[in-house]
Amino acid sequence: MTSTNTASPAAQHDPCTPPPFLIALTGPTSSGKTTIATALADILSPFVDFTMIHADDFYRPDGEIPLNKDGVQDWDCAGSLDMPKFRQTLLQAKDGVGLPEGNFEDGAHGSKGIITTPTIEQAKQEIEAWPQRLLKKMNRRPIVLVDGFLLIGESVRETLAPLFDLKILLRATFTAARARRARRNGYITLQGFWKDPPGYFEHVVWPNYVREHAWLFEDGDVEGEGEGNDNLVKPKELDDGGGGRDYKGNRHDVRVGPVGEDISPEETLGWVLGVVRCALEGAEGGLVQGGGERGA
């Protein structure tokens, strides 16, 4: 099964058009990444040239997935993805040139309809009420949203993470993520089908997530809560300020989402839209010009 990009390939970037604004939407398995990404596509597409890329489109063929120490395929590590191809695609996106079609999609469970149509329509109405100057700026610069489990992790901090203009980390507790993943029937792969073997979440999926993202949090506690800070943790290596929801871990600005068993997809969507709006409003020239390098 293939996924679909919403933008048409272009031969080269128009120098009169601002370069696309790249958003990383990442988090552990079953944290709602694809649900939120799909909703954002529905909500933002009427207002901006919007493209969505799934990191799952860059999985290696089944026979090339690394084995862990127990001889089990590890689909949740950096080695399971074609990182050179992924990075090159993001560089192309930053330059506003054509994007290749994807070739992998988790088709065993859907994300359409989890956030209801009335919620989507209400969000569109709220965006219509945004200041006209902001809407005009959005209309001038495309947005590329990248949804994936490993966009700002330790192993890609120097290769992928600097390419993004806005980085959003969704969260889920160990208990919630395990329960949601257990409800999935499996995953359609390039060459077949994958179903988690017993203990895979506990021994592979979650430890990989913690290992990759512990650098963001004090004491490496990815489920921790920050005192007096909307239940958001304070990352290590705090740069300057970092109040509210905008934290700076090392040199990568990361907006870290709330965590809790009772946080609904609608609440998460509202928070993400707020983060996106703040990024668009607070950026010089209308949209943040950060995100590090461009070009191949």
Side-chain angles (χ1 to χ4, degrees):
M1 182 178 292
T2 60
S3 66
T4 302
N5 296 319
T6 59
S8 300
Q12 60 184 14
H13 173 61
D14 182 352
C16 297
T17 303
F21 183 69
L22 264 65
I23 301 175
L25 185 66
T26 190
T29 182
S30 304
S31 58
K33 299 183 295 297
T34 303
T35 296
I36 299 301
T38 301
L40 289 175
D42 289 340
I43 293 165
L44 294 176
S45 291
F47 305 96
V48 65
D49 181 358
F50 187 94
T51 300
M52 183 160 59
I53 299 174
H54 298 287
D56 285 355
D57 288 345
F58 299 91
Y59 269 111
R60 294 185 178 278
D62 296 28
E64 297 179 14
I65 301 300
L67 303 180
N68 67 7
K69 59 182 178 60
D70 298 316
V72 176
Q73 283 188 316
D74 186 348
W75 292 84
D76 290 80
C77 67
S80 66
L81 301 176
D82 186 342
M83 283 297 179
K85 180 180 177 182
F86 192 12
R87 185 173 187 276
Q88 184 59 37
T89 298
L90 296 182
L91 287 169
Q92 286 180 264
K94 285 195 76 68
D95 282 338
V97 300
L99 299 174
E101 287 296 320
N103 52 18
F104 178 100
E105 182 179 292
D106 176 359
H109 65 286
S111 56
K112 274 278 189 183
I114 294 177
I115 294 179
T116 63
T117 298
T119 300
I120 299 293
E121 294 304 315
Q122 180 181 345
K124 289 180 182 178
Q125 293 174 13
E126 291 173 356
I127 291 179
E128 287 176 349
W130 287 5
Q132 283 299 310
R133 59 175 177 76
L134 177 57
L135 294 176
K136 288 179 180 178
K137 290 172 182 175
M138 290 171 62
N139 191 48
R140 291 199 303 266
R141 188 176 182 187
I143 288 179
V144 177
L145 177 71
V146 184
D147 149 34
F149 73 94
L150 188 59
L151 305 179
I152 60 171
E154 182 67 49
S155 62
V156 297
R157 283 174 68 181
E158 303 301 325
T159 54
L160 297 187
L163 301 179
F164 295 103
D165 300 290
L166 173 62
K167 308 175 190 71
I168 301 173
L169 177 70
L170 302 184
R171 293 201 288 164
T173 64
F174 172 91
T175 302
R178 179 176 60 180
R180 293 169 190 163
R181 181 148 177 148
R183 290 195 290 268
R184 297 180 176 179
N185 294 322
Y187 302 86
I188 297 172
T189 68
L190 277 174
Q191 298 169 303
F193 190 80
W194 168 264
K195 184 173 178 60
D196 291 349
Y200 185 77
F201 178 87
E202 295 85 350
H203 299 298
V204 179
V205 177
W206 193 258
N208 282 0
Y209 166 67
V210 172
R211 184 163 48 250
E212 289 284 357
H213 298 87
W215 70 273
L216 276 168
F217 302 94
E218 286 187 342
D219 302 320
D221 182 6
V222 298
E223 295 187 66
E225 295 183 350
E227 294 183 6
N229 231 343
D230 295 330
N231 291 331
L232 301 184
V233 301
K234 173 182 173 184
K236 296 188 297 184
E237 304 175 23
L238 195 62
D239 220 356
D240 53 37
R245 298 183 185 274
D246 183 2
Y247 294 118
K248 294 185 178 181
N250 200 9
R251 65 184 177 85
H252 302 308
D253 294 347
V254 180
R255 274 66 169 184
V256 181
V259 64
E261 304 291 339
D262 57 347
I263 297 174
S264 69
E266 290 77 13
E267 290 173 310
T268 301
L269 174 63
W271 175 77
V272 170
L273 282 171
V275 167
V276 171
R277 176 175 176 173
C278 287
L280 306 188
E281 284 188 320
E284 182 178 355
L287 291 176
V288 175
Q289 294 288 343
E293 60 194 291
R294 292 180 59 207

